[in-house]
Amino acid sequence: MKWFMIGVVIIIVVFTAAEIVDVFLLHRIRKKEREKFEEELKNMKTKKKKK
């Protein structure tokens, strides 16, 4: 039972750490993606206007 509890604690710690890292990385990635997306939207709007 003792080892089981230690394993559960380790799993919880690893998962929470992974979630924090994911959120941090996603925030950075989303920022870059959002900038690209905004540029694409602008390009699409200008293309539509030209037509």
Side-chain angles (χ1 to χ4, degrees), residues 9-43:
V9 169
I10 288 167
I11 288 166
I12 290 167
V13 168
V14 168
F15 268 101
T16 47
E19 288 239 334
I20 290 163
V21 169
D22 275 353
V23 168
F24 185 72
L25 289 176
L26 273 176
H27 186 68
R28 282 186 156 186
I29 291 163
R30 277 191 187 141
K31 215 173 185 183
K32 288 177 185 174
E33 293 245 329
R34 200 180 297 136
E35 283 170 12
K36 283 183 188 174
F37 187 68
E38 279 175 10
E39 278 179 27
E40 280 177 21
L41 274 179
K42 282 178 190 172
N43 290 341

